[in-house]
Amino acid sequence: MSNLNRRSVLTLGVALGLVSAAGVGAAPALAAPAAAGTDPWWVWDDEVDQLVAGLITSGQVPAVNTAMRSWVNNSDAIPSGLPANLRTYLQGVNTLPSWADRTKLRLAADFNRRKDTYLFMLYGLGSGIMSTVIPREAKSVYWSAGGANMQDRAAKTFTFGYDLSELTAFEPNGQFVVTANKTRLVHAAVRHLLPQSPHWRAVANEPGLIPISNGDILVTFHSLGTFVHKKLKEWKVPMTAAEEAAFLHQWQVAMHLLGVRDEFIPQTWSAAYAQSASALSPILAPSTEGKELAEDLLGLTAQIDLGITRGFLNEFVRYVLSNEIGDWLRLPRDYAAAALIRTVWPAFIAFREGLNPIAPVSFYMFDQFIRAIAMLFLNKGASGTTTLITIPTGNRP
Ligand code: HEM
């Protein structure tokens, strides 16, 4: 699909989102009418982009990274060692948006804790592998500095999911607001650096040749939040309406903190589904970079003893995403594992969620598998946490 077509479908998706949001009387702060005339594929994060570009060209990034090490908890003061312009900027954005609802955020945190095993698995194996078939994301990640070391990069990305899923994520002693702001700075650096990479320029299909627009971030959100919500529904994991709304709300706040304009943020799950169908589904495709990243990611997971074979892991990815994506990534078939997953997984969820009193055969194998994936997240998240995220100063050579 051409750039123009894709942009126009997303704009349509946003318009649909606004229409349905207005229909259910969603929070007015998110429903600014300005969206109608603005295209998220041509919106980046101007203020911080300029600021970080200045820090890179003046060689201040290493000192900024050092000063940022002590900045971890949401309640921490912005480090005094940062350049004045960056401090002033961060003081303005290092806070929840006015429309954030702390009651919803607490419910989301509690929900995340109760469902953490499914969430870690879906984010890690589902969203993580899906990111490799979102060509613009795969190419950006591959050709940025972090692409050269996927293990380290995956650990940093896990930190984001871990901080978001923590019980205290948005509380003063939590870390998510800081993690999101550091990520926003990293993305700003990437927007300055990647256009200087001849490798990236040769493969990039980006409006104005600048990566990570608001549109791109929305697409990634759909590969994370919308995808996970859809799977939990499909798998009949019990969720109250309030929990579903809270889960969306946490992502709305996350997108705001990552620099997405409020008017582009979907306000309801139906708006999010419509936007995902028009902006994410049609662009999924294999790429050379994505295939290599997927192999790295699955190789990384395979290093941990998940109590399963690589064939099972490949089939689980196929089950969670699709056979089409599995074929794109050339994941070898293991038909016995595929049949086992197809029959046992729904029974496993029903038993685990108390919907069916009979434990399926292979219950322990599945249980060990999802717990091991969760531990992979928790260990990476707990060791080093937010200090891991640093602003890059170059690209992948
Ligand atoms: C860096 C999360 C959207 C490309 C990061 C980091 C996190 C993160 C936590 C810092 C870790 C690191 O340094 O590796 C997210 C989230 C997103 C999002 C939660 C949306 C919901 C995107 C999009 C793109 C992108 C849309 C590209 C199209 C990158 C790149 C880096 C990065 C290239 C730097 C990698 C490096 O060189 O270290 N992102 N991101 N991100 N992100 Fe994102």
Side-chain angles (χ1 to χ4, degrees), residues 42 89 136 307 387:
W42 290 89
Y89 168 77
R136 287 148 61 103
T387 50

Side-chain angles (χ1 to χ4, degrees), residues 119 122-123 127 224-233 247:
L119 295 180
L122 282 169
Y123 285 138
S127 312
L224 292 156
T226 311
F227 164 77
V228 166
H229 179 263
K230 194 165 169 223
K231 283 289 160 190
L232 292 176
K233 296 291 271 188
F247 188 70

Side-chain angles (χ1 to χ4, degrees), residues 136-137 140-141 144-147 153 156-157 160 183 186-187 190 194 212 216-217 220-221 224 251 258 389-390 392:
R136 287 148 61 103
E137 185 172 350
S140 300
V141 167
S144 64
R153 209 201 115 79
K156 289 171 176 167
T157 312
F160 192 93
T183 303
V186 172
H187 285 163
V190 169
L194 268 184
I212 324 185
D216 288 308
I217 296 180
T220 301
F221 154 64
L224 292 156
W251 271 107
L258 285 176
I389 296 182
T390 51

